[in-house]
Amino acid sequence: GTGKGAEMGTLFRQGTALVVMARVDTVVLDKTGTLTKGQPELTDLRVPEGNEDRVLELIAAAEDASEHPVARAIVDAARTRGLEIRAATAFNAIPGYGVEATVQGHKVEIGADRFMRQLDYDYEALTEAAGHMADEGKTPMYAAIDGQVVAALAVADPLKEGSHQAIDALHDLGLRVALVTGDNARTARAIAQAVGIDTVLAEVLPEQKADEVKRLQSDGRRVAFVGDGINDAPALAQADVGVAIGTGTDIAIEAGDVILMSGDLRGIVNAIALSRRTLRTIRNNFIWAYAYNVALIPVAAGILFPLFKVLLSPMLAAAAMSVSSVFVVSNSLRLRRFEPSIQTAAE
């Protein structure tokens, strides 16, 4: 089973993962880089007052020190407009909230609505615009300069090819699919509806992902968590089976029990189908081996001699034992003919 998985681009790091994968009933997907490409683009910038280019210039300068994909999207948009990105000082990233920095003497803060609430800033004038962005499946944010919220902006991260197909196939396997994301609830629901996801876990901070997995497990769920980022590592370790995207970070790959080498989400469908087939083969082998031995060991011990004067010679007993082994091996080799139920990009 593990060998066939490797041929399909799915690495089972240990046999236990193959068995547990067959028994999962819930698949939890991280959003960025797992369900989506992890290559967001700035799609909206709403600046009610002031110069839009000047605001974007300050925002991009603050974000330039960040390695987050959203930050790169903002910086790339500013460069596309030909804006000058100056060096920022006192940069600070607050995971799950946003960033702050000083640019040309201005205090610049960019982040989610919860970041603005934490700072106790008034952003009500822009909530309607941000809400429309969220309803379109975009990730809305706010920007404040010198303590005043001056802009609402949004980035959109396109879905990976095959994401919708993968979720439909998971449903066909009888699995429940959940989405976990730091995005606000409106954005998360819009994305979930677009691809048919059952459960939405929104506004989850990076350090809370493992807690959400634990909560599902406490409800009796067997959970497979799929993620690719550094902050997914605790959730990958907490899940019954951690599935890491092979194109993600080294830390996530190290924490995963199963690695999807191509990064195609459809690979998890094939991994679950293969694990179920393998477990079924193991059960068949056990049933055959136990039934065969229960039937023939008494014969070899002479149970038929008192009635029929029949004894099984040691040579025939050894041959009969070999038949059992040949059957088990041959039945297992049938897994070589396993065909993926869904084609991935790597195939």
Side-chain angles (χ1 to χ4, degrees):
T2 57
K4 187 63 181 180
E7 289 180 17
M8 293 161 39
T10 302
L11 176 62
F12 291 91
R13 300 184 64 181
Q14 49 188 326
T16 306
L18 189 68
V19 176
V20 177
M21 176 73 90
R23 296 170 174 160
V24 300
D25 53 33
T26 303
V27 177
V28 179
L29 305 174
D30 175 53
K31 193 199 80 170
T32 305
T34 301
L35 186 65
T36 64
K37 293 181 178 179
Q39 300 170 350
E41 298 178 353
L42 182 68
T43 57
D44 301 82
L45 177 60
R46 183 70 59 85
V47 181
E49 299 178 6
N51 185 286
E52 185 175 296
D53 283 350
R54 175 58 176 166
V55 170
L56 180 57
E57 189 177 82
L58 293 174
I59 294 172
E63 293 280 16
D64 194 37
S66 173
E67 296 180 354
H68 195 282
V70 169
R72 304 327 308 162
I74 295 171
V75 173
D76 289 345
R79 286 180 174 150
T80 300
R81 293 194 186 190
L83 303 178
E84 182 180 1
I85 301 177
R86 301 178 184 273
T89 59
F91 174 82
N92 182 36
I94 303 95
Y97 286 86
V99 302
E100 56 186 10
T102 300
V103 182
Q104 295 180 281
H106 296 285
K107 180 71 171 180
V108 182
E109 294 154 315
I110 312 106
D113 51 0
R114 57 177 169 266
F115 188 33
M116 299 297 112
R117 288 196 297 270
Q118 184 185 70
L119 296 170
D120 199 24
Y121 290 166
D122 180 11
Y123 59 96
E124 188 174 349
L126 290 165
T127 54
E128 184 177 352
H132 289 311
M133 299 173 192
D135 289 338
E136 294 172 356
K138 302 170 184 176
T139 302
M141 296 174 292
Y142 299 91
I145 298 176
D146 296 329
Q148 297 294 320
V149 178
V150 297
L153 59 157
V155 297
D157 190 2
L159 293 169
K160 281 185 178 179
E161 179 186 356
S163 290
H164 201 311
Q165 188 182 8
I167 291 163
D168 286 344
L170 289 172
H171 285 147
D172 290 341
L173 290 173
L175 298 168
R176 189 170 185 81
V177 184
L179 173 66
V180 60
T181 176
D183 286 342
N184 68 51
R186 291 174 72 169
T187 299
R189 281 196 298 268
I191 294 171
Q193 289 173 2
V195 293
I197 288 176
D198 306 299
T199 305
V200 176
L201 308 172
E203 299 186 28
V204 177
L205 298 177
E207 64 272 16
Q208 295 174 338
K209 291 182 180 180
D211 294 334
E212 291 294 337
V213 171
K214 190 181 298 184
R215 184 178 62 80
L216 289 170
Q217 290 171 323
S218 67
D219 291 337
R221 296 280 180 180
R222 292 191 180 99
V223 179
F225 181 89
V226 190
D228 74 317
I230 292 174
N231 56 25
D232 295 327
L236 288 166
Q238 174 64 41
D240 295 276
V241 181
V243 183
I245 301 296
T247 53
T249 63
D250 291 342
I251 292 176
I253 292 172
E254 184 64 27
D257 304 304
V258 180
I259 315 298
L260 303 182
M261 302 304 294
S262 71
D264 192 324
L265 193 59
R266 289 172 291 192
I268 192 173
V269 178
N270 295 329
I272 292 172
L274 174 61
S275 64
R276 289 182 175 180
R277 176 75 68 81
T278 303
L279 190 60
R280 188 160 61 246
T281 300
I282 291 171
R283 286 171 177 157
N284 289 341
N285 288 344
F286 270 119
I287 291 171
W288 165 262
Y290 276 107
Y292 188 85
N293 284 281
V294 165
L296 291 187
I297 285 176
V299 175
I303 194 172
L304 298 179
F305 185 78
L307 296 175
F308 305 103
K309 306 302 180 184
V310 173
L311 286 173
L312 191 63
S313 74
M315 287 186 294
L316 288 177
M321 193 65 223
S322 297
V323 169
S324 177
S325 298
V326 169
F327 175 87
V328 168
V329 172
S330 301
N331 189 45
S332 299
L333 288 174
R334 292 169 59 225
L335 284 169
R336 293 170 63 93
R337 298 201 300 268
F338 175 84
E339 292 294 333
S341 58
I342 186 172
Q343 295 298 311
T344 66
E347 297 164 344

